[in-house]
Amino acid sequence: MQIPFEYESLSKTLCESDGRGYYAKLDKWGYYHPEKGITVPCVYDDYLDICNAFGHFVMQDGKWGMVSFEGEDRLPFQFDTIGILSRGNLIKVEKDGFTGIVDTLGRVIVPLEYDKLIVANSLTVINHEGKRGAYFLTGELFMPAVYDFINLGDNGIWRVIEGDSTLYFDSERKRITDSVYGRCSKVHRNGLAVVCQDKKWGVIDENGKEVIPLIYENIYGYEPRVINGKRQSFFGVVLEGERFKVDAESACIEDCPDPALLQRFHIPDKEDQ
């Protein structure tokens, strides 16, 4: 590949989305494709070399936007910062001190009205008061930003914390249980969540059923295992100072204490089975 000796500067792109070409400067920046020549005219103030399968991030008149690989406008030049996310075609943008998300077609996924935004398996938003809400990755609002904490566990179960209380919701915004648990309760992992209430600990499943009753002083560990091809979950627990392990059916399976203690709390003993 031969590039004409007419550019002030050339910077080879880090990504292969468009053939490992060069950002080229001729007074201003454009893009030089190894086979097509200049595909984005040299009219932009700056560029962002971020791997993006949908086009180039470039700056014009102090604002960021995006053009296609052929140089056509994809996002308007109105953002103070811009960057691709790891979730498909979602782009995090900032404008006038607020954060939101748009897609590569310019559609607003999360309105630009939040102070912070966290991207995981959902989109958590934080307002100026520190309150949190959440959006689905599709852009549908799940919960408004009025809670102390919110996050999405597996199997589509959400944990929502407000004050000293933790509630659990399914993806239809219905509570999976009428019980209100303490702030220390955890998010669902592998369909199970460790919960606390009045200084006692237990475990609920994805339907809100207490599969391990709230009788323990502590649940100090979670251990998934695969036994006979089946995934099973085990928990380290403390009961009247005794440490042992129980399964997701609340049966003792390891380091079981005195049988009298297990019988008093109706805990089956599977250790010798």
Side-chain angles (χ1 to χ4, degrees), residues 76-243:
F77 290 88
Q78 62 180 12
F79 304 112
D80 298 324
T81 66
I82 193 169
I84 198 77
L85 300 177
S86 60
R87 300 284 178 173
N89 64 338
L90 301 183
I91 299 171
K92 183 179 179 180
V93 291
E94 293 183 8
K95 181 181 179 182
D96 300 328
F98 294 100
T99 298
I101 290 181
V102 297
D103 67 12
T104 53
L105 297 178
R107 296 176 298 198
V108 175
I109 303 300
V110 176
L112 278 86
E113 57 187 49
Y114 298 102
D115 280 22
K116 296 180 181 179
L117 194 148
I118 301 170
V119 180
N121 51 354
S122 64
L123 305 172
T124 299
V125 292
I126 306 173
N127 67 14
H128 67 282
E129 298 175 338
K131 293 294 186 178
R132 299 188 178 209
Y135 286 76
F136 293 103
L137 293 175
T138 59
E140 179 186 358
L141 177 66
F142 176 71
M143 290 284 187
V146 296
Y147 300 100
D148 292 340
F149 196 86
I150 183 169
N151 61 339
L152 176 61
D154 57 16
N155 297 350
I157 305 300
W158 297 75
R159 176 181 63 157
V160 177
I161 299 176
E162 177 61 21
D164 294 328
S165 301
T166 298
L167 305 175
Y168 293 93
F169 294 83
D170 64 17
S171 59
E172 301 296 324
R173 302 176 184 84
K174 296 178 181 178
R175 286 177 59 182
I176 65 171
T177 173
D178 292 331
S179 297
V180 178
Y181 296 103
R183 188 182 181 91
C184 48
S185 300
K186 311 302 182 183
V187 74
H188 277 74
R189 293 175 55 203
N190 298 312
L192 299 170
V194 175
V195 293
C196 64
Q197 188 180 65
D198 299 327
K199 298 183 179 180
K200 297 295 183 181
W201 293 80
V203 176
I204 63 172
D205 66 12
E206 59 191 4
N207 298 311
K209 178 183 177 182
E210 291 182 2
V211 294
I212 296 179
L214 280 83
I215 60 174
Y216 297 100
E217 291 117 52
N218 193 12
I219 294 182
Y220 61 86
Y222 167 69
E223 182 182 345
R225 300 180 187 175
V226 177
I227 300 177
N228 296 326
K230 182 179 179 181
R231 189 181 186 91
Q232 299 185 39
S233 298
F234 301 96
F235 299 86
V237 297
V238 179
L239 182 63
E240 295 192 355
E242 298 285 345
R243 290 174 173 261

Side-chain angles (χ1 to χ4, degrees), residues 255-266:
D255 300 326
C256 296
D258 189 288
L261 177 63
L262 298 179
Q263 291 170 9
R264 183 148 52 92
F265 287 93
H266 308 289

Side-chain angles (χ1 to χ4, degrees), residues 1-17:
M1 176 183 68
Q2 293 186 347
I3 301 175
F5 289 92
E6 59 185 67
Y7 300 103
E8 301 169 28
S9 180
L10 290 170
S11 178
K12 191 170 186 178
T13 179
L14 300 175
C15 303
E16 299 183 3
S17 300

